[in-house]
């Protein structure tokens, strides 16, 4: 979608069932694991979006063969069983944190000359903690722009026989994920220690779960250290990607805001994604939630308003943005805490959320790591929302229309990062 804006009419409600696109976090991890593994992997229901496209393209440039089954989101990846065969490449990774951080670690240990770059915003997203960690292993990494940020230039690592590496966990969990995913390339046991409090922990659970499916069982000692054995990745044959739990949050919230009943299919009780716990927060706000093995359903039930909540959202940083919108429909002030990482994502999400929520009439207080949202007596109609090239800002603010006011969303095409078909799917549930 290349339109400058989309006008969403005031909707009376929301109802319906949505099949979710594939999980971004699972898709990009599985692609890298399948690439590094011995054997061929059939990857089913991969997310088709900007973030996975840059990952697929980068793997191709690094010499990994893959093909897509025509007319489907199913892929066959021919694992290389070790390090990348192409020893020189310049990779463009857009604004995909999951691709940038994991490929940085893998390329740094892969014995080649690589340059990794992205869009201007990616060059403002920190990566110093990951670079510091791979350097302990002997990686030769240089900053091409500002120290601590992409783009990065890598020369063949002079691998040292160190048995331990320490990574900081307080800015992004993706650095730890990157080191864990790449560690089996070392061919020896290595202990990865976490320095300081680790944020976004459920994403590391996804990493460990998928590494195990590819034959590498990491020994986890609390959240302090992880022992990665000297075992090579082996393809499990086939992997089916779950629906995206962060994308699910918009449709579940729609059911509550729109006083209807909505259902998402593709994630459920058995999900390995931490963002399914968004449903718990929604239940605390008064919505009725039902879980099946592979679906989640939401309705507001007899409550006519949602309850305000005060919640530590560190475990659900992405879906927590949807809670900030739900706060517009609550009976008091909602506080979302421990979300400092919002400031270094697609945009400064705390600032962006505060600015745009004020446009629809909310009273908002922001701090370094929290946001407090007090709803207006009446939502302002016809607000024009800026989205800051942040897919979640666009998807979040679409929900305001379900509260019975028209809204304009600028640059709706930015949802392509994780959900290119979002607007059609959204129109399908808005009444
Ligand atoms: O590992 C992952 O797949 C992700 C981790 C989270 O980032 P942080 O660890 O930087 O919070 C999350 O926000 C991002 O969308 C996906
Ligand atoms: C933070 C996000 O993305 P990334 O994987 O680029 O960090 C996100 O999708 O909300």
């Amino acid at each position: 979608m290349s339109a400058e804006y989309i006008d969403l009419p005031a909707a009376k409600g929301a109802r319906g069932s949505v099949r979710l696109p594939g999980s971004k976090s699972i898709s990009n991890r599985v692609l890298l694991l399948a690439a590094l593994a011995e054997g061929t992997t059939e990857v089913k229901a991969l997310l088709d979006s900007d973030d996975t496209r840059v990952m697929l393209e980068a793997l191709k440039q690094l010499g990994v063969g893959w093909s897509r089954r025509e007319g489907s989101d199913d892929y066959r990846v021919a694992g290389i069983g070790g390090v990348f065969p192409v020893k020189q490449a310049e990779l463009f990774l857009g604004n995909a944190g999951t691709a940038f951080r994991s490929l940085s670690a893998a390329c740094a240990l892969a014995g080649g000359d690589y340059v990794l770059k992205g869009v201007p915003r990616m060059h403002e997203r920190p990566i110093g903690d990951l670079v510091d960690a791979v350097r302990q292993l002997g990686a030769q990494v240089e900053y091409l722009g500002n120290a601590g940020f992409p783009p990065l230039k890598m020369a063949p690592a002079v691998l040292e026989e160190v048995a331990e590496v320490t990574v900081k966990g307080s800015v992004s969990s993706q650095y730890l994920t990157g080191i864990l995913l790449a560690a089996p390339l070392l061919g020896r046991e290595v202990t990865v220690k976490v320095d300081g409090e680790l944020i976004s922990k459920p994403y590391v659970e996804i990493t460990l779960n998928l590494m195990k499916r590819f034959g590498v069982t990491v020994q986890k000692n609390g959240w302090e250290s992880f022992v990665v054995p000297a075992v090579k990745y082996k393809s499990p044959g086939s992997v089916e990607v779950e629906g995206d739990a962060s994308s699910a949050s918009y449709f579940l919230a729609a059911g509550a805001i729109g006083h209807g009943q909505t259902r998402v299919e593709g994630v459920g009780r058995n999900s390995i994604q931490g963002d399914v716990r968004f449903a718990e927060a929604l239940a605390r706000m008064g919505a009725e939630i039902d879980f099946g093995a592979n679906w989640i359903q939401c309705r507001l039930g007899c409550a006519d308003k949602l309850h305000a909540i005060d919640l530590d959202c560190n475990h659900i940083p992405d879906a927590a943005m949807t809670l900030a919108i739900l706060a517009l429909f609550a009976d008091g002030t909602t506080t979302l805490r421990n979300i400092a990482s919002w400031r270094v994502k697609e945009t400064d999400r705390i600032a962006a959320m505060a600015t745009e929520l004020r446009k629809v009439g909310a009273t908002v207080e922001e701090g370094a790591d929290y946001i407090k949202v007090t709803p207006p007596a009446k939502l302002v109609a016809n607000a024009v929302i800026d989205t800051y090239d942040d897919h979640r800002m666009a998807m979040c603010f679409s929900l305001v229309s379900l509260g019975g006011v028209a809204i304009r969303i600028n640059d709706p095409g930015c949802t392509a990062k994780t959900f290119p078909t979002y607007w059609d799917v959204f129109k399908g549930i808005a009444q």
Side-chain angles (χ1 to χ4, degrees):
M1 179 179 277
S2 60
E4 267 176 55
Y5 57 81
I6 188 167
D7 280 328
L8 300 176
K12 286 195 216 73
R15 179 166 298 280
S17 182
V18 165
R19 171 141 292 277
L20 296 165
S23 154
K24 169 197 74 172
S25 295
I26 297 177
S27 292
N28 272 353
R29 282 168 174 78
V30 166
L31 285 175
L32 181 60
L33 288 164
L36 299 177
E38 267 169 27
T40 297
T41 307
E42 305 283 343
V43 184
K44 297 198 177 116
L46 194 83
L47 170 64
D48 182 10
S49 79
D50 287 354
D51 278 14
T52 50
R53 243 170 264 144
V54 291
M55 184 61 144
L56 282 163
E57 209 40 53
L59 290 173
K60 188 188 279 173
Q61 275 180 265
L62 291 165
V64 178
W66 55 260
S67 58
R68 180 177 188 169
R69 182 141 49 81
E70 225 185 288
S72 79
D73 290 321
D74 300 343
Y75 289 73
R76 170 179 286 225
V77 181
I80 51 176
V83 291
F84 303 121
V86 173
K87 295 297 172 202
Q88 262 193 336
E90 183 169 317
L91 309 176
F92 173 76
L93 300 168
N95 198 6
T98 50
F100 207 104
R101 278 69 182 264
S102 60
L103 280 173
S104 291
C107 286
L109 304 181
D113 289 285
Y114 304 113
V115 170
L116 279 73
K117 42 169 78 165
V119 299
R121 174 60 184 171
M122 182 51 94
H123 298 173
E124 295 173 354
R125 298 180 66 187
I127 196 153
D129 294 343
L130 174 62
V131 171
D132 290 350
V134 289
R135 280 178 173 162
Q136 293 162 41
L137 297 165
Q140 309 292 307
V141 184
E142 242 182 82
Y143 296 111
L144 290 175
N146 293 331
F149 297 86
L152 301 178
K153 184 174 183 330
M154 289 158 191
V158 184
L159 290 178
E160 287 164 24
E161 288 291 314
V162 292
E164 218 176 82
V165 49
T166 301
V167 60
K168 285 200 187 126
S170 57
V171 173
S172 170
S173 69
Q174 292 179 6
Y175 311 141
L176 173 60
T177 280
I179 300 280
L180 290 170
L181 289 171
L185 296 179
L186 293 168
R188 61 189 144 80
E189 181 180 293
V190 61
T191 298
V192 185
K193 288 193 157 179
V194 181
D195 179 13
E197 182 65 14
L198 175 66
I199 66 161
S200 305
K201 294 184 181 76
Y203 288 97
V204 175
E205 297 276 18
I206 300 178
T207 305
L208 300 178
N209 184 301
L210 295 174
M211 286 175 73
K212 193 169 173 185
R213 274 200 234 172
F214 280 81
V216 177
T217 303
V218 176
Q219 185 197 314
K220 175 173 175 282
N221 303 314
W223 292 102
E224 279 93 59
S225 76
F226 301 82
V227 183
V228 185
V231 173
K232 285 188 166 175
Y233 288 125
K234 213 171 169 346
S235 169
S238 101
V239 178
E240 174 138 13
V241 177
E242 292 179 12
D244 193 292
S246 315
S247 298
S249 72
Y250 310 112
F251 303 105
L252 295 175
I257 295 169
H259 290 260
Q261 179 163 304
T262 49
R263 180 179 171 119
V264 291
E265 284 174 33
V267 286
R269 203 190 296 122
N270 300 334
S271 174
I272 64 168
Q273 297 167 76
D275 264 5
V276 287
R277 290 188 59 198
F278 167 81
E280 274 172 29
L282 197 47
R284 272 186 58 184
M285 294 186 91
E288 283 176 21
I289 302 287
D290 281 320
F291 270 96
N294 204 28
W295 54 265
I296 311 175
Q297 199 163 278
C298 171
R299 63 191 191 102
L300 194 50
C302 36
D304 78 332
K305 245 187 183 275
L306 292 164
H307 307 305
I309 51 169
D310 186 325
L311 189 70
D312 182 328
C313 295
N314 199 270
H315 61 303
I316 51 168
D318 294 354
M321 290 177 74
T322 315
L323 295 175
I325 300 295
L326 284 161
L328 291 171
F329 303 93
D331 57 6
T333 300
T334 287
T335 307
L336 308 178
R337 299 183 191 277
N338 208 356
I339 51 167
S341 72
W342 280 22
R343 297 219 181 256
V344 290
K345 299 212 165 167
E346 280 76 338
T347 183
D348 176 342
R349 287 176 164 172
I350 296 185
M353 195 45 96
T355 303
E356 303 308 311
L357 283 171
R358 286 182 190 122
K359 288 185 184 169
V360 293
T363 304
V364 186
E365 179 187 320
E366 62 166 288
D369 67 347
Y370 73 88
I371 191 164
K372 271 183 200 247
V373 184
T374 308
K378 197 169 179 295
L379 284 170
V380 174
N382 302 310
V384 178
I385 301 300
D386 290 314
T387 49
Y388 311 82
D389 204 15
D390 183 349
H391 54 143
R392 298 203 192 285
M393 286 295 290
M395 295 189 279
C396 276
F397 276 88
S398 68
L399 299 173
V400 175
S401 67
L402 304 176
V405 293
I407 194 163
R408 173 173 291 182
I409 310 288
N410 282 336
D411 187 22
C414 68
T415 66
K417 186 176 194 285
T418 53
F419 204 153
T421 57
Y422 180 76
W423 300 105
D424 288 337
V425 180
F426 179 76
K427 280 179 192 157
I429 60 140
Q431 306 268 297

